[in-house]
Amino acid sequence: QSIYLEELALPKGVTAIGSPKALVIAVATSRMQMMAEAEEAAAAEAAAEAATATAEGEAPAEEGAKEEGGTDAAEGGEKKQG
C-alpha cells in the first residue's frame, strides 16, 4: 500500500512542495508474515469450531476415523464380526 503527496489532506494554508505523484509512504508486508497470519487465523477458526461442537455435545471429528466394528480394506485388514 502506498500514499502519494496528492492524496494528503493538508490543513488550510499549508502547501506541499514536490511532485503530486511523489511517494510519501509505502508499507510492505513480507510473505512469511502474511502466511503466518493466515495459519493463525485458520487455527483459531478450527479451535472455535471444535469448541462449538463440544458445547453442543458432539465429539470433535478425528482425522482418519474408521467405521465402528471394521478396518479399512485398503490397509489389508479384515472386517471384524460384531
Side-chain angles (χ1 to χ4, degrees):
Q1 293 185 351
S2 303
I3 298 176
Y4 295 90
L5 191 58
E6 67 185 358
E7 297 174 335
L8 294 178
L10 301 173
K12 198 175 208 176
V14 176
T15 303
I17 299 174
S19 169
K21 301 289 183 190
L23 182 64
V24 177
I25 189 166
V27 178
T29 302
S30 72
R31 289 184 189 187
M32 294 298 291
Q33 182 179 0
M34 290 172 50
M35 290 171 47
E37 290 172 355
E39 288 175 1
E40 289 175 6
E45 184 178 333
E49 288 177 7
T52 301
T54 302
E56 293 175 355
E58 299 174 10
E62 294 184 23
E63 287 187 33
K66 298 186 185 294
E67 290 183 22
E68 206 174 301
T71 61
D72 189 356
E75 293 177 3
E78 295 180 13
K79 186 162 180 93
K80 298 177 185 176
Q81 297 295 326

